[in-house]
Amino acid sequence: MEVDFVRDYRILHDAGYNVLAYDLRNHGLSGAAHGGIIGSGWLEARDVLGSLNYARERADTRAMTVELFSRCLGANSTFAAMTRQPRAFDSVRCLVAPQPVTTSIILQHQLELAGVSRAHIGALDERIVLRTGISLAERDNREWAKAVTTPTFLYQVHDDVLTEPEDVQTMFDNIPVADKKLHWVEGTTVRWDGYLEFQRRPEPMLAWFQEHMN
């Protein structure tokens, strides 16, 4: 299922926003780092912080209002970055975070789809630690959500076969701010439909950005 994120950028551009788009380390066209290790947000948090620093250091962007659109691993990475350096987000007006997911949850579902009992998640965790040095417990997005202090709009495919509603609901409940919203994408079990939600129905997200712009 093809997902062309350039269409997202066009919607934002047409709505009057400047867009800084970047690949997380070890993804897309970005350079390799840490031997190709994926940290489920723990390592990639540095890229989120780096993007903020980059915008704040450029003469032509440093005075601009900043709002974040952090999808999936990008959302995990943003939550982790807020855990690590909360003051870096003091001037960020709001966050839209589609499809965040706790790594242990999605891996259990992937095991089952591969015909392996989710009871083997402990054995998989041991191998992940041997390869990366970062356990599944250290990649818990639900815990990182407790550090989010920015107005946050989460959305997620409710019946996503790769996760479960309780995962995102717990993240949402753990965000310690009153100004937050959770939107469920209904009528599908396909995770990628959540990535396409903004292209199909951008109005709620654009309204969130506009509400917090001023």
Side-chain angles (χ1 to χ4, degrees), residues 1 99 109 113 156-165 185-195 200:
M1 187 171 182
Q99 306 275 103
H109 284 266
L113 290 171
Q156 161 71 27
V157 172
H158 187 273
D159 298 321
D160 181 354
V161 295
L162 290 177
T163 182
E164 48 203 47
V185 180
E186 305 280 2
T188 180
T189 62
V190 180
R191 182 167 182 80
W192 316 121
D193 279 321
Y195 299 149
R200 294 168 174 168

Side-chain angles (χ1 to χ4, degrees), residues 51-98:
S51 71
L52 290 172
N53 289 337
Y54 176 77
R56 288 165 177 160
E57 289 171 359
R58 284 181 60 114
D60 57 346
T61 59
R62 66 171 58 122
M64 291 183 180
T65 299
V66 176
E67 299 175 313
L68 301 180
F69 194 165
S70 304
R71 182 184 288 101
C72 192
L73 177 57
N76 291 19
S77 305
T78 300
F79 289 0
M82 290 176 169
T83 301
R84 193 171 304 174
Q85 292 191 31
R87 296 301 302 274
F89 297 86
D90 285 351
S91 62
V92 173
R93 297 291 182 87
C94 70
L95 166 66
V96 172

Side-chain angles (χ1 to χ4, degrees), residues 134-156:
I134 308 171
S135 69
L136 293 178
E138 294 174 289
R139 303 167 184 248
D140 195 332
N141 213 32
R142 296 161 297 193
E143 289 299 309
W144 295 339
K146 296 177 181 179
V148 177
T149 57
T150 301
T152 300
F153 182 129
L154 298 183
Y155 63 92
Q156 161 71 27

Side-chain angles (χ1 to χ4, degrees), residues 37-38 107 111 116 119-136 139:
I37 290 171
I38 305 301
L107 287 181
L111 284 174
V116 180
H120 292 290
I121 190 67
L124 177 58
D125 189 19
E126 291 176 1
R127 286 161 174 76
I128 289 173
V129 172
L130 288 173
R131 174 68 180 87
T132 69
I134 308 171
S135 69
L136 293 178
R139 303 167 184 248

